[in-house]
Amino acid sequence: MIESDIFKALADPTRYAIFEKLAAGSMNASALREGMTISQPAMSQHLAVLRNAGLVREERQGRFVNYEVDPEGLALIARWLAKYRAYWPSRVDALKSLLKDMDQ
Amino acid sequence: MIESDIFKALADPTRYAIFEKLAAGSMNASALREGMTISQPAMSQHLAVLRNAGLVREERQGRFVNYEVDPEGLALIARWLAKYRAYWPSRVDALKSLLKDMDQ
DNA sequence: CGATGACATAAGCATACACTTATGTGATGC
DNA sequence: GCATCACATAAGTGTATGCTTATGTCATCG
């Protein structure tokens, strides 16, 4: 996976909204569609992109497929962000030392 | 600016590479092109996108325009990431309390 | 068993977008 | 002045991608 792929997954406003909704609580694909004007295949395709990016993971539950935020994707972004800590504004300087611990 | 715009700016591999290069040290548009097979207008357009996303800022220096990483863009991503700290893996749990300080 | 429901995949289409060539703008130097 | 350099903008083009409709797959239920 190219590093820009995870950003590409979040670049689409619809996909971004889906991720935000999932972050508020895990649910299945049908529940995700509620309140959004989006077709079933479109939702399925977006979820596949988010899953391939490591931002979301799925779990079969009978006929339903439950989706939830995958911490690994967020960790990837966190590690990416840590690379540029030299440029962070001073008011978050306190983070510098702790992010160092994340670098393995 | 829609929140997904900053991710859209980093979604393109070429633009991502430009940002990474700038993070290694500020330089002008011509210097950025060295080592990359990219036309001058393409570079200019990419830099405009990165600037509009708040990831990069410019400073006129005579005929040259010096570009550098804009900490505001990274801070935006950091604040975004902080919203989902509930999902971060346990090994970065130590970050939780500090990121709370960033929430204004 | 067949019917239905939840979701995935296929194929086609329309728009977005990253590129190109050409031209414009603004600063330095002769 | 005008030639040149560094960069921005305009306009056009090909491809990527997000959508659609149609169909496939898999599990539950009667």
Side-chain angles (χ1 to χ4, degrees):
Chain A
M1 176 166 68
I2 309 175
E3 288 190 275
S4 60
D5 279 357
I6 195 163
F7 295 122
K8 190 185 276 187
L10 291 167
D12 179 66
T14 304
R15 219 146 45 212
Y16 179 87
I18 292 171
F19 179 83
E20 274 207 313
K21 206 165 181 178
L22 269 183
S26 66
M27 56 185 104
N28 57 55
S30 295
L32 273 169
R33 286 184 63 206
E34 288 170 19
M36 305 183 68
T37 48
I38 183 175
S39 69
Q40 179 268 317
M43 173 62 74
S44 183
Q45 288 159 14
H46 279 311
L47 286 170
V49 172
L50 287 170
R51 180 165 37 81
N52 288 332
L55 285 163
V56 149
R57 62 187 177 196
E58 64 183 51
E59 185 187 357
R60 262 247 164 221
Q61 284 180 352
R63 286 190 302 195
F64 296 83
V65 178
N66 198 264
Y67 283 92
E68 61 181 355
V69 169
D70 188 346
E72 191 51 43
L74 292 172
L76 238 153
I77 298 179
R79 284 193 291 269
W80 176 85
L81 195 61
K83 288 199 302 178
Y84 307 107
R85 56 178 176 271
Y87 290 100
W88 288 23
S90 54
R91 47 183 272 275
V92 283
D93 260 0
L95 277 171
K96 287 186 185 177
S97 55
L98 272 116
L99 283 166
K100 207 176 290 179
D101 301 336
M102 293 173 51
D103 294 342
Q104 255 81 340
Chain B
M1 177 167 67
I2 309 174
E3 288 190 277
S4 62
D5 279 357
I6 195 164
F7 295 121
K8 190 185 276 186
L10 291 167
D12 180 66
T14 304
R15 217 145 47 211
Y16 180 86
I18 292 171
F19 180 82
E20 274 208 314
K21 205 166 183 178
L22 269 183
S26 65
M27 58 184 102
N28 57 54
S30 296
L32 273 171
R33 286 183 61 205
E34 287 171 20
M36 306 184 67
T37 47
I38 184 175
S39 68
Q40 179 268 316
M43 175 60 75
S44 183
Q45 288 159 14
H46 280 310
L47 286 169
V49 172
L50 288 170
R51 180 165 38 79
N52 288 332
L55 284 164
V56 150
R57 60 187 177 195
E58 64 182 51
E59 186 186 357
R60 262 250 164 219
Q61 284 180 351
R63 284 190 303 192
F64 297 82
V65 177
N66 199 265
Y67 282 92
E68 61 182 355
V69 169
D70 188 345
E72 191 50 44
L74 292 172
L76 237 153
I77 298 179
R79 283 193 291 270
W80 176 85
L81 195 61
K83 288 198 302 176
Y84 307 107
R85 58 176 174 273
Y87 290 101
W88 288 24
S90 54
R91 46 183 274 273
V92 284
D93 260 1
L95 276 171
K96 288 185 182 178
S97 56
L98 274 117
L99 283 166
K100 206 174 290 181
D101 300 337
M102 294 171 51
D103 295 340
Q104 256 78 339

